[in-house]
Amino acid sequence: MEELLRLTDTARYGDWTAGSGVGGSEGDAVAIRGGARHLSSVLPAISAAIGHPTPTRVHPDPKALQSALGLPDARSAIVVLVDGLGYWNLAMRLGHAPYLRALMRDAANQRPISTCAPSTTVAAMATFGTGTCPGMTGMAGYTQLEPSSGRLMQLIQFKDALAPKPAGPGGRFAVQPVDPIVDPHDLQREPTVFERLAAEGVPVTSSGLAKFKGSPLTEAALRGGTYVSGVTPRDRVRAAARAVREPGLAYLYIRDADKVGHNHGWDSEQWIGTFERIDAQLATLRREAPKGTLIVIVADHGMVMSDEHERIDIAVEPELARGVRLVGGEPRALMLYAEPDENPEDIAARWRERLGEKALVRTKREAIADGLFGPVDARVAPMLGDVIVQAAGQVTLVDSRTQSDKATRLPSVHGSQTMLEMDIPCLIDMA
Ligand SMILES: [Zn+2]
């Protein structure tokens, strides 16, 4: 566990396979994470497997990705994204999951691939959906700066993260539609793999919860094709299986491992129960998918348990709060925006001094030079924090001035660069 909680090398982007010498010189170096073995490769690789290779700005060679990930050619494919089901979370609970256990006996499935940094849903969904990277999608954290207004924006609903909760009938639990402060299509300008396949005449179907149809996050990261839904998880599984009776691509989203992990901890009984149900749903998918359908199961990130003794609150640490105008990101992956007259190097120095081994602190310039966000477009750079902080071990860095008490005490969290968070499954099955 100690090993899994240590910060790993930054994952890089490209078509190469580490250590194989394939795809360019970068692949020859040792211990490089990412390349073809990355979440951004999955949809381009699948597009090649179904005969419609779709290159992206990060991945010019989908065929190379298909062979690196070991995907067989198929007339149809179903790609499943299980939110929050990291490779090690899965591997440590395999006893509860007969279908996944059988899949993991295949040596080809016994190697994780890497998600993006930060290892969080909004960044990973856009990386997955476009086959690119946060530096291109402009989706780089749970919250980030919206440069034209100077506001902090939450990227699930694209709303002002610091706006007071609307009062009125129903109080804080009232369900009120929130107008996005930025058009999702304007923030996330990369074409999605779904919309490009659909434009080529390939039937593309997304199966997920009804409430995510047309949501800002869906529109930004996974737009294109036809959205189908169903009341129960099994309805949604069946809808995905049905969709590929005609040759094409279906995408199935499964939410609950993440949700239950945040609420109860990924080490809880509740999580195990959820994991068992997800395994049964995946087994149903395998049974009901038309023969010859390629099935690929991935996740957007894993999860670590937090530790209340390792919870650091910026609100009561003047040396951390000093010179910081906005705290973006999330408790495992912070993006600090400096006051106008503050030098980010000074903020970084104070944070390094205070946190030591508890976090990796980089200025924006250092993080970009390390390739943390992949290649960064000029329009995206101003959205990124002036200082980027990634928590090690079980540390969380919260801000009780702006975050709810519950949000600062989640039993399991993600966003940083440990193996538990970064390593995700890429399990391959053939119906
Ligand atoms: Zn997630």
Side-chain angles (χ1 to χ4, degrees):
M1 188 56 92
E2 211 171 295
E3 166 95 33
L4 296 178
L5 286 168
R6 208 169 299 138
L7 294 172
T8 63
D9 294 341
T10 297
R12 303 301 185 92
Y13 290 84
D15 291 340
W16 44 268
T17 307
S20 71
V22 175
S25 58
E26 209 166 353
D28 296 331
V30 283
I32 286 181
R33 297 171 64 83
R37 291 187 182 162
H38 194 281
L39 181 61
S40 60
S41 307
V42 172
L43 281 179
I46 290 174
S47 73
I50 60 171
H52 295 271
T54 305
T56 75
R57 282 210 283 150
V58 162
H59 293 295
D61 191 352
K63 275 280 178 199
L65 303 178
Q66 183 194 349
S67 92
L69 293 178
L71 304 186
D73 288 335
R75 57 195 283 278
S76 291
I78 302 174
V79 58
V80 187
L81 190 145
V82 186
D83 203 319
L85 185 63
Y87 181 85
W88 300 104
N89 306 120
L90 180 156
M92 284 188 268
R93 295 289 182 269
L94 263 190
H96 295 270
Y99 169 66
L100 291 171
R101 190 166 65 235
L103 268 190
M104 285 284 275
R105 284 198 198 107
D106 186 342
N109 287 330
Q110 289 167 11
R111 45 101 185 90
I113 65 170
S114 186
T115 187
C116 65
S119 52
T120 196
T121 305
V122 294
M125 290 292 195
T127 294
F128 168 73
T130 62
T132 66
C133 58
M136 292 180 179
T137 62
M139 297 184 70
Y142 175 65
T143 64
Q144 70 184 28
L145 182 69
E146 198 288 291
S148 68
S149 64
R151 289 191 285 181
L152 193 67
M153 176 165 66
Q154 179 258 55
L155 291 189
I156 293 188
Q157 291 141 316
F158 283 53
K159 66 176 188 185
D160 187 334
L162 302 179
K165 293 249 187 311
R172 69 194 194 88
F173 296 110
V175 179
Q176 306 195 9
V178 198
D179 282 334
I181 60 177
V182 172
D183 182 340
H185 294 243
D186 191 41
L187 176 69
Q188 201 302 89
R189 298 180 189 174
E190 288 297 305
T192 68
V193 175
F194 294 166
E195 63 187 344
R196 289 172 59 196
L197 287 173
E200 275 190 45
V202 179
V204 176
T205 307
S206 289
S207 180
L209 279 74
K211 67 174 180 175
F212 296 144
K213 180 180 182 181
S215 76
L217 177 56
T218 301
E219 278 302 298
L222 298 164
R223 58 185 174 245
T226 309
Y227 196 97
V228 296
S229 186
V231 177
T232 68
R234 261 169 218 275
D235 294 341
R236 298 190 283 272
V237 163
R238 296 208 164 98
R242 246 192 334 266
V244 292
R245 285 182 192 160
E246 299 286 315
L249 173 65
Y251 162 67
L252 172 67
Y253 172 71
I254 299 180
R255 174 184 61 165
D256 286 355
D258 182 78
K259 190 180 169 198
V260 175
H262 282 310
N263 287 330
H264 300 282
W266 85 266
D267 55 336
S268 66
E269 288 294 320
Q270 289 94 331
W271 191 90
I272 287 172
T274 300
F275 183 47
E276 288 171 346
R277 285 190 287 280
I278 290 172
D279 185 72
Q281 289 159 25
L282 294 170
T284 302
L285 180 72
R286 166 72 165 75
R287 249 189 338 267
E288 301 204 356
K291 194 159 171 43
T293 303
L294 168 65
I295 298 173
V296 181
I297 301 166
V298 296
D300 51 348
H301 53 78
M303 281 198 156
V304 303
M305 277 113 72
S306 63
D307 177 349
E308 62 174 315
H309 304 292
E310 298 270 16
R311 174 183 177 276
I312 296 168
D313 187 355
I314 300 158
V316 297
E317 304 250 0
E319 279 305 285
L320 295 183
R322 195 171 136 202
V324 176
R325 185 173 80 81
L326 287 172
V327 178
E330 55 214 282
R332 293 279 295 172
L334 288 80
M335 296 210 286
L336 308 176
Y337 299 92
E339 296 281 7
D341 55 353
E342 184 70 33
N343 182 352
E345 304 278 353
D346 295 337
I347 297 176
R350 288 192 291 272
W351 279 63
R352 284 190 191 111
E353 169 74 24
R354 164 66 180 89
L355 296 172
E357 299 278 284
K358 290 180 188 293
L360 174 62
V361 180
R362 285 178 275 199
T363 61
K364 172 163 32 185
R365 193 178 48 74
E366 290 166 340
I368 291 176
D370 282 351
L372 187 66
F373 302 104
V376 177
D377 288 344
R379 71 175 192 96
V380 172
M383 303 171 194
L384 306 176
D386 298 305
V387 177
I388 309 293
V389 182
Q390 290 181 292
Q394 293 175 273
V395 171
T396 51
L397 291 150
V398 303
D399 186 351
S400 63
R401 295 169 300 183
T402 57
Q403 297 160 353
S404 72
D405 193 58
K406 183 183 175 219
T408 71
R409 298 179 191 279
L410 296 174
S412 281
V413 285
H414 53 81
S416 190
Q417 206 174 316
T418 64
M419 284 165 74
L420 261 175
E421 292 157 291
M422 292 298 291
D423 286 345
I424 54 171
C426 179
L427 307 181
I428 299 158
D429 201 359
M430 201 71 174

